[in-house]
Amino acid sequence: MVERDQRGATLIELLVVLIIAAIIVGAITPIGRSWVATAHVSKAQSVLTQAFNKAKTEALKNPNKVLTDATNPTVATITVNNTAKTITVSDSSSTTIWSDSFDSDVTITLATACSSKILLNNTVQFLNSSTPTTVDNTCSSYTIAASTAQTVTGVLR
């Protein structure tokens, strides 16, 4: 009998390698999703912090000379739109002075008293969105959540 020089891999060997590769990919995928969700939450937190810093600057500058005892002492407003996935900062005349977006799998929830807006007066005090003449420090708290259960809670300072 003549011996044949065997080169390459058998079908069984190839199938074993493919099965091992599939198991490794299946094990790594949840880690990758978690990493992406964490990155999205971090980006949203960064965007919210930037918005707050822009609003603080606007409130302290107070270019429209809004007084603290005015009927509406709001100097700067931060608006979180979870549908459009944007955060905007507007001045006392409702002109947008800054805007940015966050990822589609992220939701930003503000304190109940604030709904979807954070109002600041000219001394950078948080105001209640339904009664803007009332200082409400609970409006400084927020929760940012991603669709894969990554959640961060914080306070704007």
Side-chain angles (χ1 to χ4, degrees):
M1 199 164 166
V2 178
E3 271 189 47
R4 293 178 54 186
D5 191 18
Q6 188 178 19
R7 293 187 183 152
T10 66
L11 184 59
I12 299 285
E13 290 169 333
L14 289 174
L15 287 174
V16 169
V17 169
L18 285 174
I19 290 170
I20 291 171
I23 290 170
I24 291 171
V25 168
I28 292 175
T29 300
I31 295 169
R33 285 189 188 140
S34 175
W35 179 78
V36 168
T38 301
H40 288 178
V41 168
S42 293
K43 180 188 176 212
Q45 190 172 25
S46 174
V47 170
L48 184 60
T49 302
Q50 285 178 326
F52 180 63
N53 289 334
K54 296 285 185 188
K56 271 196 321 190
T57 301
E58 181 68 16
L60 291 171
K61 285 189 333 188
N62 193 11
N64 296 332
K65 307 290 185 248
V66 177
L67 300 176
T68 306
D69 60 354
T71 53
N72 184 0
T74 303
V75 176
T77 303
I78 301 169
T79 305
V80 176
N81 184 331
N82 281 308
T83 305
K85 302 298 181 185
T86 59
I87 299 175
T88 57
V89 177
S90 51
D91 64 11
S92 58
S93 60
S94 299
T95 303
T96 299
I97 57 174
W98 183 88
S99 182
D100 204 348
S101 61
F102 52 94
D103 294 295
S104 61
D105 64 334
V106 173
T107 301
I108 300 174
T109 307
L110 302 175
T112 306
C114 301
S115 184
S116 63
K117 293 184 178 194
I118 297 172
L119 309 178
L120 299 175
N121 68 10
N122 63 354
T123 58
V124 193
Q125 291 177 308
F126 294 90
L127 303 173
N128 187 300
S129 61
S130 57
T131 54
T133 53
T134 305
V135 174
D136 190 344
N137 288 324
T138 62
C139 289
S140 64
S141 63
Y142 62 87
T143 301
I144 301 174
S147 58
T148 56
Q150 294 290 351
T151 303
V152 171
T153 303
V155 176
L156 296 169
R157 297 178 199 261

